[in-house]
Amino acid sequence: MVFSSALSSSSSSFTLPSPLRTHYLSTTLTTRSSTFPNHKFIKTRMQAQTTNNAAKPKEAKLWGGRFEEGVTDAVERFTESVSYDKQLYKHDIRGSIAHASMLAKQGLISVSDRDSIIEGLGEIEKRIESGEFNWRADREDVHMNIEAALTDLIGEPAKKLHTSRSRNDQVVTDLRLWCRDAIDKILASIKQLQVSLLKLALNNQGLIVPGYTHLQRAQPVLLQHLLLAYVEEIERDAGRLIDCRARMNFCPLGACALAGTGLPIDRFMTSDALGFTAPMRNSIDAVSDRDFLLEFLSANAITAVHLSRLGEEWVLWASEEFGFITPSDSVSTGSSIMPQKKNPDPMELVRGKSARVIGGLVTLLTLCKGLPHAYNRDLQEDKEPVFDSVRTILGMLEVSSEFAMNITFNRERIQKALPAGYLDATTLADYLVKKGVPFRTSHDIAGKSVALCTSKNCQLLDLSLDELRSINPVFDKDVYEFLGVENAIQKFISYGSTGSACVADQLDYWMKKLEIK
């Protein structure tokens, strides 16, 4: 044992008292021999296995023709990527099928070889999806695992598949295909959250809530208007993803390592087969740049920030201090020590997980900064931030939608909270403007009216006409049509405002766009 060895070492600065030391050593030896009676046998077996493993020759690398010795185990472990990039298998197989079909059409492989390759790739995909495929770290990545397995399966024809292709253009093709599918999934999740928010708005018609700026009471707004603000924000998030998808939808396959190939391939054929808009024009650009990933993760980061704001607002509103919403038990958690607690944990985690998505973007930006053209092995590190960003943003969208469908707005509590903060003060200023008073003067008069209310501990609606005229004689009895949050809401008429008619138009627009009846 390390500890007992240290105790017996003459260089040790710590020594147990002799009786305790004797007891410790005798107990340790007794325990060891009783617990592991065959430890000598086990040790011998392990040494034999190590010797056998060391004697067993490693599989030759598919790129190892000029090498006389294999890489060390440490290098093998450090450089492998199959542990995470194996999730690209569908896209890798799809790209290989398109590539093999093109090679056959161009006469670079036979039709028989093409059919064997496609049949073999189909079998490998079945094995992967059934869990029977053996992913091997010594085969480095998803591409080499599939190609080596194909060689094991069909033999010589598999060795022709990599004609006019490098892992440099292969991996970036796989990534573009994977990201394209990921964007489609995120877009579907964004729409689902929009639908949930819109339904929440429809179920709370006419509910007025305080609107805040600087986290201070500002003006009254319809709850529907506030919820639709989030619908609008994530619609722009969807737009960014759609634009990103269009820009990334160009095919790198056939760019090879960096310079293209001297063989007569048809890059337009593979591009069409894979659903790309066109082949990428420049082979160096095709394998070098990851700006499509940077744009994708940037779009995800902005979406995450929007969701974190929604999370923050609902966490605040669920607090005792606000008490505006009550989440159902199905989207809440409790405390391990405080039995009374009911926490909106999902939205706290939405707020927190935004950091992961932002961090993934920063990681990728840092990775790409200063890289010379063309491909560099650094780019192997581009995948994990992308995979994590997508996984996280999909989870955030899903739980936000789930939360939206499982909260109740506390109308009575909100109603009681509305009088505080003089939310109708700006509407009072608008009234004065309609009477011909310059806005700056109107602002000053409304401010003095609020000051009077503060001294009297009352609302603007409670001031008598005489009290208002003592501040300025322009006031008339029609002023009361502008005071109180209900009246104030009705006075908003500008396009996009929180007025009832304007919000009704917004609701109608989104019901049609999201196809809600």
Side-chain angles (χ1 to χ4, degrees):
M1 302 227 1
V2 175
F3 187 51
S4 60
S5 300
L7 289 172
S8 61
S9 171
S10 59
S11 61
S12 175
S13 59
F14 174 74
T15 305
L16 286 169
S18 294
L20 184 57
R21 184 172 190 270
T22 302
H23 172 73
Y24 174 79
L25 291 174
S26 63
T27 303
T28 302
L29 292 172
T30 302
T31 303
R32 181 174 176 178
S33 60
S34 61
T35 307
F36 307 109
N38 296 321
H39 70 276
K40 290 183 179 179
F41 172 73
I42 294 170
K43 184 176 181 182
T44 303
R45 282 283 302 274
M46 291 176 66
Q47 287 173 341
Q49 287 175 5
T50 302
T51 303
N52 291 338
N53 290 339
K56 186 179 179 180
K58 291 184 178 181
E59 181 180 74
K61 303 290 186 184
L62 296 181
W63 44 259
R66 65 147 290 174
F67 291 82
E68 295 181 1
E69 57 181 326
V71 299
T72 67
D73 290 342
V75 170
E76 193 102 80
R77 289 191 301 271
F78 189 69
T79 57
E80 70 84 20
S81 62
V82 68
S83 57
Y84 53 85
D85 68 17
K86 61 186 178 184
Q87 65 182 285
L88 295 172
Y89 77 89
K90 273 186 176 295
H91 308 89
D92 197 73
I93 289 172
R94 185 180 173 191
S96 291
I97 289 172
H99 188 66
S101 299
M102 180 274 295
L103 292 176
K105 175 179 175 291
Q106 297 301 105
L108 294 168
I109 64 173
S110 69
V111 172
S112 175
D113 286 343
R114 177 201 65 192
D115 293 344
S116 294
I117 289 169
I118 293 174
E119 185 179 352
L121 289 170
E123 176 60 27
I124 288 170
E125 184 170 10
K126 289 178 185 176
R127 291 182 185 181
I128 293 172
E129 293 180 346
S130 67
E132 297 173 11
F133 189 83
N134 180 29
W135 294 104
R136 292 176 49 170
D138 63 334
R139 288 176 174 174
E140 300 181 26
D141 55 36
V142 60
H143 324 294
M144 303 297 267
N145 265 267
I146 291 175
E147 185 178 337
L150 185 65
T151 303
D152 293 342
L153 192 63
I154 67 171
E156 201 68 19
K159 298 179 181 180
K160 301 177 182 181
L161 177 58
H162 212 55
T163 304
S164 298
R165 185 175 74 171
S166 163
R167 280 188 292 174
N168 295 359
D169 62 334
Q170 188 179 358
V171 67
V172 75
T173 301
D174 291 358
L175 268 175
R176 285 174 182 261
L177 291 170
W178 188 92
C179 289
R180 208 171 63 182
D181 289 349
I183 286 174
D184 292 343
K185 291 177 183 176
I186 295 170
L187 288 171
S189 292
I190 284 176
K191 183 176 180 180
Q192 183 55 52
L193 176 55
Q194 289 178 307
V195 168
S196 297
L197 291 169
L198 183 55
K199 287 182 176 179
L200 190 60
L202 292 169
N203 290 336
N204 287 278
Q205 190 168 355
L207 180 57
I208 301 171
V209 296
Y212 294 83
T213 62
H214 311 278
L215 264 184
Q216 303 296 316
R217 296 290 184 93
Q219 291 178 277
V221 297
L222 287 171
L223 173 64
Q224 294 172 311
H225 192 56
L226 178 59
L227 293 173
L228 290 178
Y230 284 107
V231 174
E232 295 280 356
E233 288 170 4
I234 59 177
E235 177 69 9
R236 291 193 296 276
D237 295 332
R240 274 181 283 272
L241 287 168
I242 291 168
D243 291 345
C244 172
R245 192 188 191 285
R247 266 186 291 278
M248 76 165 55
N249 199 38
F250 289 84
C251 186
L253 198 58
C256 299
L258 79 160
T261 179
L263 296 172
I265 63 172
D266 184 350
R267 292 188 62 211
F268 287 89
M269 178 181 173
T270 49
S271 174
D272 289 344
L274 295 171
F276 286 109
T277 303
M280 295 186 73
R281 280 189 298 268
N282 185 291
S283 61
I284 295 176
D285 175 50
V287 300
S288 297
D289 209 342
R290 295 296 187 269
D291 57 353
F292 69 98
L293 296 181
L294 293 173
E295 184 176 9
F296 184 20
L297 265 61
S298 175
N300 281 352
I302 296 171
T303 303
V305 168
H306 282 150
L307 296 177
S308 77
R309 297 184 69 186
L310 176 64
E312 169 70 359
E313 198 141 75
W314 282 353
V315 167
L316 283 174
W317 282 22
S319 68
E320 286 292 337
E321 285 68 24
F322 277 81
F324 288 179
I325 65 171
T326 300
S328 74
D329 290 354
S330 62
V331 291
S332 304
T333 64
S335 164
S336 63
I337 188 173
M338 295 169 285
Q340 83 281 10
K341 293 296 291 298
K342 183 177 180 181
N343 302 322
D345 278 10
M347 298 313 292
E348 291 179 52
L349 280 171
V350 165
R351 189 176 60 189
K353 284 181 181 290
S354 63
R356 291 177 68 115
V357 184
I358 295 166
L361 172 60
V362 173
T363 296
L364 201 58
L365 284 166
T366 308
L367 175 69
C368 293
K369 185 199 75 65
L371 279 185
H373 286 81
Y375 181 83
N376 297 274
R377 190 63 181 269
D378 311 50
L379 292 175
Q380 177 174 301
E381 294 298 304
D382 62 0
K383 296 165 199 64
E384 288 184 286
V386 175
F387 296 158
D388 187 70
S389 174
V390 170
R391 182 169 55 248
T392 304
I393 204 71
L394 283 171
M396 292 170 70
L397 286 163
E398 181 184 18
V399 82
S400 296
S401 178
E402 193 84 3
F403 200 86
M405 297 304 291
N406 286 278
I407 58 175
T408 303
F409 284 89
N410 304 322
R411 286 177 171 266
E412 186 176 343
R413 178 73 175 264
I414 293 169
Q415 192 68 34
K416 288 180 179 177
L418 284 173
Y422 307 104
L423 300 176
D424 49 355
T426 305
T427 312
L428 179 62
D430 289 344
Y431 164 81
L432 293 167
V433 168
K434 289 184 176 182
K435 292 289 186 180
V437 180
F439 179 76
R440 281 296 167 209
T441 305
S442 299
H443 187 286
D444 183 64
I445 294 170
K448 289 177 179 176
S449 301
V450 169
L452 179 59
C453 287
T454 302
S455 67
K456 293 173 60 65
N457 192 26
C458 68
Q459 301 299 310
L460 287 167
L461 188 60
D462 298 327
L463 293 177
S464 68
L465 187 57
D466 288 340
E467 286 173 322
L468 288 169
R469 283 176 171 170
S470 69
I471 298 170
N472 193 289
V474 74
F475 285 112
D476 206 343
K477 59 184 179 180
D478 59 348
V479 68
Y480 295 104
E481 297 172 12
F482 288 76
L483 298 180
V485 292
E486 290 82 6
N487 285 333
I489 284 290
Q490 299 307 318
K491 299 303 178 184
F492 288 101
I493 57 172
S494 62
Y495 177 79
S497 71
T498 196
S500 299
C502 302
V503 172
D505 288 342
Q506 294 174 47
L507 286 167
D508 184 59
Y509 169 84
W510 282 109
M511 287 173 69
K512 290 176 181 175
K513 186 173 179 64
L514 297 175
E515 299 174 333
I516 295 179
K517 295 181 180 179

